[in-house]
Amino acid sequence: MPIAIWTPALSLGVDSLDADHQKLIDTLNMVFDAMLFDRSSAALHSALATLDDYVTGHFAREEAWMQARDHPDLARHRQEHEALRDQLALLCAMSDLSDQERSVELLMVLRDWLLGHIAHSDRDASGP
Ligand SMILES: [Fe+2]
Ligand SMILES: [Fe+2]
């Protein structure tokens, strides 16, 4: 069961960033599945580590993309990325991932943040 779905409404029209965002959403869904169906802590920690890796890689690629275009909003955009990484670090550090309700709640906060960020900040950053 997906927690997030990529739709063309999220498209920035930049193929590499769109592909990254789709993969991020897939990875978020993988973490959600592990939370629901495979809560052995190893599986869930591994899914979270994959998400953390992918978020780090994506943010670096997106910031490099903005930097190459001398984007005036890069510093603020980078701060938004840091805020998401802080939230994700909180989830990764949760000692008791078996608290399903709390971990799903945090993942939903991350999901809302990420989709809102793509639809607004990333869209503004990639606009003309
Ligand atoms: Fe992005
Ligand atoms: Fe971004």
Side-chain angles (χ1 to χ4, degrees), residues 21 24 58-59 62 77 81 117-118 122:
H21 290 153
L24 267 181
H58 168 63
F59 286 172
E62 194 173 88
H77 200 101
H81 286 171
H117 178 83
I118 295 171
D122 286 350

Side-chain angles (χ1 to χ4, degrees), residues 46-65:
S46 143
L48 276 170
T50 303
L51 180 62
D52 193 42
D53 274 0
Y54 205 78
V55 162
T56 302
H58 168 63
F59 286 172
R61 284 187 289 278
E62 194 173 88
E63 288 166 13
W65 186 90

Side-chain angles (χ1 to χ4, degrees), residues 43-112:
L44 186 45
H45 277 289
S46 143
L48 276 170
T50 303
L51 180 62
D52 193 42
D53 274 0
Y54 205 78
V55 162
T56 302
H58 168 63
F59 286 172
R61 284 187 289 278
E62 194 173 88
E63 288 166 13
W65 186 90
M66 290 176 76
Q67 192 148 30
R69 284 155 186 79
D70 279 331
H71 202 289
D73 210 24
L74 176 59
R76 197 196 52 79
H77 200 101
R78 198 173 254 148
Q79 281 175 0
E80 286 192 24
H81 286 171
E82 278 310 307
L84 178 91
R85 297 209 60 213
D86 288 348
Q87 284 287 321
L88 183 55
L90 203 67
L91 183 59
C92 292
M94 258 181 81
S95 54
D96 188 9
L97 286 167
S98 64
D99 182 346
Q100 191 185 46
E101 201 174 323
R102 174 88 182 112
S103 41
V104 166
E105 197 178 281
L106 262 177
L107 190 66
M108 286 182 169
V109 171
L110 275 181
R111 183 262 326 260
D112 292 346

